[in-house]
Amino acid sequence: MEGARILQSGGVVAIPTETVYGLAADAFNENAIKKVFEVKGRPQDNPLLVHIYKLEQVYDICKDIPKEAERVFEAFWPGSVTLIFNKKECISDTVTAGMKTVAVRFPKSEIARAIIKESGTLLVAPSANLSGKPSTTNAEHCFDDLNGKISCILDGGSCSIGLESTIIDMSTPEPILLRPGAISVEEICNVIPNLIYKKELLSVGNSDIPKAPGMKYRHYAPDVPVTLIEGEYTKTSKWIKENVNKNDVIICFQEFLSEFNDYKYVYSLGSFNKLNIAAQKIFDLLRECDKVENVNHIYIQAPKSSGLGSSINNRLEKASSGDIIHI
Ligand code: AMP
Ligand code: MG
């Protein structure tokens, strides 16, 4: 496979996974890793996830793996939960941004696992978007951001989940949720009830949490400013109708589309009863809205904050840089 050959020779390749597309490179090739930071414009102090294709590999690169992590392996791996452990010597400081811990992801996507296997190494693969922009969930998104910067995008169609993995720090005395994601907090708590989850740790503007360096950067943001409207659905829909200019962009649930017939740009998140569809669509919509000409503002009706809704809101709160209206 051409992609695997490029990875073996130190190149960078955009690859599909079940969550979002990844910008992959050989995790043991310093130059290749540096290229990933360069291509994305990613700050050097934002560490990368290491992708494995079989469970044993986590023991090759990590140490001090607690018993409760093994319960997570059993319940969710391969799958969209990323775990952080103390790293072994073989993982370089360039991957971990100088930290003693490394984040490991074992993707469910068979294409992703096949690419890792065929490349004959492990892969670092942050989301395949320019730093700060919405993540990429299909090959066209990758092309839009990375054309001219990388020589290969592997087209695996649209990502089935569309939201990044859930990240849990397992190197601390009690596991800590660092990023809500594809697998909901509730599902994780069924397996590790002692999971520490503090919303304030995860929200916008928390700049100095040493364990979660990536959180301090602007994320998932289109060029056009975003306002997030949180609250009960009928109330948020009413607020949008009463306050939003007819030329601005509205992203709302399918159930409310008919309220906005006289608006120019209205996009559907699917039904509020099927938040997995909203997860699949959200980054595509943010990117789509950015392309609408002469638009000044995007208003988004927030999903309810539980299950996958909390993870989607986490992304939208960041996309809005904290411009949130609670009704
Ligand atoms: P992405 O850039 O989309 O791949 O997201 C990866 C996230 O994982 C970023 O927010 C990183 O800061 C975070 N991350 C990676 N490695 C570590 C680590 N060792 N400790 C804490 N967070 C990490
Ligand atoms: Mg990212």
Side-chain angles (χ1 to χ4, degrees), residues 72-326:
V72 179
F73 295 164
E74 216 162 276
F76 299 111
W77 272 14
S80 316
V81 177
T82 296
L83 298 177
I84 293 173
F85 300 108
N86 287 325
K87 75 175 186 74
K88 284 190 174 166
E89 211 51 42
C90 59
I91 296 294
S92 84
D93 283 350
T94 323
V95 171
T96 68
M99 293 194 301
K100 295 284 163 247
T101 54
V102 62
V104 185
R105 171 145 152 70
F106 183 7
K108 192 165 209 132
S109 155
E110 285 182 15
I111 305 182
R113 278 187 276 151
I115 297 160
I116 308 168
K117 185 172 182 192
E118 206 167 320
S119 68
T121 181
L122 302 185
L123 301 177
V124 290
S127 51
N129 51 278
L130 293 178
S131 198
K133 294 281 133 208
S135 299
T136 47
T137 55
N138 63 40
E140 292 74 38
H141 296 161
C142 298
F143 186 82
D144 287 345
D145 272 23
L146 305 169
N147 181 29
K149 297 184 165 202
I150 60 173
S151 56
C152 181
I153 297 169
L154 292 176
D155 188 349
S158 291
C159 298
S160 58
I161 295 179
L163 213 60
E164 302 83 351
S165 61
T166 304
I167 304 185
I168 302 170
D169 192 345
M170 285 284 177
S171 72
T172 43
E174 304 254 51
I176 302 177
L177 180 80
L178 294 186
R179 177 173 77 185
I183 309 282
S184 71
V185 178
E186 291 86 340
E187 285 173 274
I188 308 267
C189 283
N190 284 336
V191 177
I192 41 169
N194 57 337
L195 178 73
I196 298 174
Y197 169 39
K198 293 197 186 117
K199 187 162 190 283
E200 60 276 17
L201 278 186
L202 307 170
S203 54
V204 202
N206 267 304
S207 51
D208 18 70
I209 307 145
K211 275 291 172 187
M215 289 176 191
K216 71 182 174 194
Y217 297 106
R218 189 157 183 262
H219 251 102
Y220 315 116
D223 290 330
V224 180
V226 171
T227 300
L228 184 63
I229 321 296
E230 294 184 339
E232 204 254 308
Y233 293 133
T234 48
K235 290 187 185 154
T236 53
S237 158
K238 184 162 178 275
W239 186 95
I240 293 171
K241 210 171 162 56
E242 286 170 359
N243 293 281
V244 172
N245 187 309
K246 300 267 185 310
N247 290 319
D248 287 336
V249 174
I250 295 170
I251 300 179
C252 69
F253 287 100
Q254 180 187 301
E255 287 81 353
F256 300 96
L257 284 179
S258 59
E259 300 280 327
F260 304 112
N261 283 335
D262 48 344
Y263 283 73
K264 223 165 159 188
Y265 308 108
V266 187
Y267 297 86
S268 170
L269 279 170
S271 168
F272 54 61
N273 289 318
K274 293 206 178 105
L275 292 182
N276 61 316
I277 305 288
Q280 277 170 359
K281 292 176 88 158
I282 191 62
F283 289 129
D284 184 53
L285 287 178
L286 289 175
R287 285 175 168 270
E288 202 52 46
C289 293
D290 233 0
K291 290 186 186 158
V292 180
E293 273 180 35
N294 300 322
V295 156
N296 297 321
H297 216 104
I298 302 170
Y299 290 87
I300 308 180
Q301 184 178 32
K304 67 174 181 343
S305 248
S306 64
L308 211 45
S310 305
S311 308
I312 298 170
N313 275 339
N314 169 269
R315 308 302 188 270
L316 293 177
E317 286 169 8
K318 291 185 182 186
S320 74
S321 300
D323 184 5
I324 302 165
I325 294 175
H326 301 269

